[in-house]
Amino acid sequence: MSRIRMNNELVEKLKRDVVEKELKLDFQRSDILGQIYKEYEGSPQIIIRARFMERLLQEKKIYIDDNVFVGSLAGEFGAFYLYPEWSNDWMKEDNKFEIPEEKQEELNAVFEYWKDRSITKRSSDTYEDIFGEDFDKYETSGFIANISLSPAGVSNSNYEKVLKYGLKSIIEEAEKRYHELEVTVENKAKFDFYKAVIIELKAVIAYANRYAVLAEELAQKEKDPNRKEELLEIAKICSHVPEYGAENFREALQAHWFLHLISQLEQVGCGYSNGFLGQVLEPFYQKDKAEGKITPEEAVYLLKHHFLKLNDINYYYGEEYELIESRDTAQTINIGGYTADGKDATGEVDSLILDAQFDLRLPQPPIALIYHDKLKPEFVQKAIDLVKTGIGMPQFMNADVLVERSLDAYARYGATLADARRTCVYGCVSTAIPNKTAYLMGDVVNVAKAVELALYNGIDPLTGLKVGIETGNAEEFSSFEEFYDAFARQLEHGILVARHHGKICNMLYSDFIQLPYRSALTDGCIEKGLDIWNGGAQFVATSTNINAGVDAANALLAIRSLVFEEKKFTIAELKEALDADFEGYDIIQRLCFNAPKHGNNVEKDEAVVSRVYQDAFDFFQEDGDNYLGIYGKPDAYSKSMHNYFGRQTGALPTGRKSHVALTDGSVSAQPGTDTNGSTALITSAANAVDTAAYNSVHLNVKLNPDIFHSDNGSASVISLIDSFFRQGGNHIQFNCIDAAVLKDARMHPENHRDLVVRVAGFSAFFTRLHEGIQDEIIARTEHEIAV
């Protein structure tokens, strides 16, 4: 490995490119997709998918820019591909991208071919066939968000295996198993699976070799001797990895980037976690350092180049999905955590990852610190120093809860304590055992909508659609328990609909959108000869996401307190105020806003929050195992769905007006209502949800930046985290930016284009967020901590 020539000005230039980039369409993928589906019509679907990836990697435009690592999602920086096989309505309905005239006809043809073949359309049609009702009404009303609008990206693949042994070793294993298969009907799908894996993995090697050839060609023309040497180094690396195991730190990073990029090319979306990247890289770094081939500063420099590449993963699936995800890619890097034998797993590269993100301060990659009491104090302090920058990283995850959660989910399928100790973040806040777990994504349920449906006897007040069940005239309910029962029945209905539709989506993935590449890098699939969607992975997680639980609980608290206990007004009077969006009903709105709320550590009130989440869990389990017949858990996180659902939700008994973003996170407080301080908030949050039963829970805390001006500020934040986790809390993250700065960025975005904030499970450029999210972040309660 030749020595890296560090150029910090180059890093700043590449960062400016990220900050200033504008998304643009690249049509090459959809062009090739159309060719392959016609050319291989009648072939098994998994073979079609493999042949498509093969052709794409053979023909996709490649280029080498100033980044020391090569490989890009599309044919130019800032571009993204079309994935019409997933969803395509947006191409006609809300396309905000300028399309060249000569491409418009081609885009129309793409839309026409896929409009009735997409997963979204197939899932809605199949749901109607099976259950006899229109699924789309649940989306239109904002009761359920359809997960099939985009690819299910949540995963954590075994890149470590490839860095050690190379793709060549997996190809050889697949070929051996292919040739040893007995020709029986039971093995028919296995023949197709192994063939598809071999096709794709060979194509990946050929793709890397294309960069080796290009770098050689450019080197021959290069006059600058330094640049010529750099290009020749790139050629050497790309001719070696990922076909063979990496031999040094730089090779390991380039191989990792290739592997991660191909996962995104196969199916770009949110949630391709980078696992414990630092710990995977640690042996390569230590070897190079011992041999005098790398310094910590050089390693950080390479990590920054890698991070810059992560920020060029782009996608767009229409305005609706934009509101749900805010275009977050959730390429989380986990640091800290336990070794398989229960020791502190933190390595030196984990610390260097914090250094790299401290310098760059970009949305990707999110960093998750898997926190436990064996972490070194200086490492925790470095994490707090990153929090001080205001970018909302790292998020802190309770390692002991993660172990308990994984054992509860996977021990019944053979997971050991050693497996569970390595649990890390998949996607933004969901967790699973890395390298070994498939994640079957399901739909998202707006729990606050169940309150509306209980108030209006199953009718959505904004659209007039009947999306609930008839639970009676709310004006006639004589007790809070009667109202709660109506709410619970509406919630049960929504969760069961979401689970049914989610299973249909999983079935369609297994039939039409197989993933040979991701499967080959997930433990269990090669051994079983099965794709990841067909039960190949060693373990399987299931997600139906429970959203806006705090909004629902706060609404129930207001109804209990104001209608049934204090009798300030009747249900009929409350509905009048809600129908008017509180216009002319200022007193009722104020009473509603000031009613008991989650986040103030009042036992009687927090019992209602816990009850909502426990009932949601029970309703999820009522539907039984997942599509593959395996036990699963619900998730509870928001991404930016609290804004998406908020726009479809009317005024609520919480005092919130219609169309305003709902509460972020899953155990965060409604903005402006957690008035008893940070200690009360974390106690409420820790006790709101059974964190081992759910597969994710998350809490946002907004800190006054002045906290860190005190000598004891960092220690106070660490103490808050420790206290939260001792009470069984699972996840906590911090926003630490002056509200005045956020308000100025809202008014003058051109002056704050590089401002990164924490949203809910992810960080993002503040000025690129939807205004509803911006307003919600500004409105969050700013906490002081006793120092």
Side-chain angles (χ1 to χ4, degrees), residues 490-743:
Q490 300 291 355
L491 178 59
E492 177 184 33
H493 174 67
I495 289 175
L496 292 179
V497 169
R499 287 218 67 190
H500 296 160
H501 182 260
K503 288 181 179 180
I504 288 169
C505 290
N506 296 151
M507 177 175 68
L508 293 171
Y509 302 161
S510 70
D511 280 346
F512 298 106
I513 313 285
Q514 298 95 333
L515 299 170
Y517 172 79
R518 197 202 297 186
S519 300
L521 270 60
T522 301
D523 293 3
C525 293
I526 292 290
E527 292 81 357
K528 296 178 186 176
L530 292 173
D531 177 81
I532 196 169
W533 296 139
N534 285 285
Q538 193 167 342
F539 307 119
V540 179
T542 309
S543 171
T544 294
N545 189 8
I546 307 303
N547 195 244
V550 163
D551 297 278
N554 283 347
L556 291 165
L557 286 169
I559 290 170
R560 184 187 71 180
S561 173
L562 300 173
V563 175
F564 294 107
E565 292 180 347
E566 300 177 26
K567 302 188 186 303
K568 295 288 188 182
F569 45 74
T570 65
I571 289 285
E573 290 169 330
L574 172 62
K575 287 175 66 174
E576 283 183 17
L578 297 176
D579 290 340
D581 202 17
F582 292 117
E583 293 298 325
Y585 293 85
D586 294 353
I587 294 175
I588 290 181
Q589 183 182 18
R590 186 159 54 253
L591 286 168
C592 287
F593 188 80
N594 292 330
K597 294 287 191 295
H598 162 71
N600 294 301
N601 193 25
V602 177
E603 186 175 353
K604 176 186 175 185
D605 301 336
E606 297 303 338
V608 174
V609 186
S610 300
R611 184 180 181 184
V612 168
Y613 277 114
Q614 185 60 52
D615 283 346
F617 177 85
D618 291 341
F619 297 148
F620 175 93
Q621 297 300 343
E622 181 183 316
D623 190 54
D625 293 337
N626 64 26
Y627 167 68
L628 294 173
I630 292 171
Y631 173 81
K633 299 167 175 283
D635 275 283
Y637 62 85
S638 67
K639 293 300 290 289
S640 56
M641 286 172 279
H642 60 298
N643 183 47
Y644 167 75
F645 280 140
R647 287 159 58 87
Q648 299 170 291
T649 302
L652 290 174
T654 61
R656 168 201 157 277
K657 299 191 75 171
S658 65
H659 307 298
V660 175
L662 297 166
T663 302
D664 68 276
S666 54
V667 292
S668 303
Q670 180 180 331
T673 66
D674 45 332
T675 56
N676 287 354
S678 57
T679 301
L681 173 61
I682 64 164
T683 301
S684 296
N687 293 297
V689 182
D690 183 339
T691 53
Y694 273 78
N695 203 49
S696 64
V697 180
H698 71 130
L699 169 66
N700 291 329
V701 177
K702 186 175 180 181
L703 295 177
N704 186 328
D706 290 342
I707 287 170
F708 294 111
H709 297 162
S710 162
D711 292 340
N712 297 322
S714 294
S716 299
V717 175
I718 295 169
S719 178
L720 188 75
I721 296 167
D722 285 334
S723 176
F724 180 55
F725 287 165
R726 281 196 304 273
Q727 296 177 74
N730 164 227
H731 164 284
I732 188 169
Q733 60 192 26
F734 300 98
N735 260 329
C736 187
I737 297 177
D738 193 313
V741 174
L742 297 174
K743 291 174 183 177

Side-chain angles (χ1 to χ4, degrees), residues 170-183:
I170 301 178
I171 293 172
E172 290 171 349
E173 183 180 358
E175 288 177 332
K176 181 175 184 294
R177 291 179 180 274
Y178 178 85
H179 293 301
E180 289 177 352
L181 273 181
E182 185 179 354
V183 181

Side-chain angles (χ1 to χ4, degrees), residues 19 68 276 633 733:
V19 171
V68 301
F276 287 105
K633 299 167 175 283
Q733 60 192 26

Side-chain angles (χ1 to χ4, degrees), residues 87 105 195 297 440 786:
S87 63
E105 185 175 344
K195 184 175 181 181
E297 294 75 19
L440 302 188

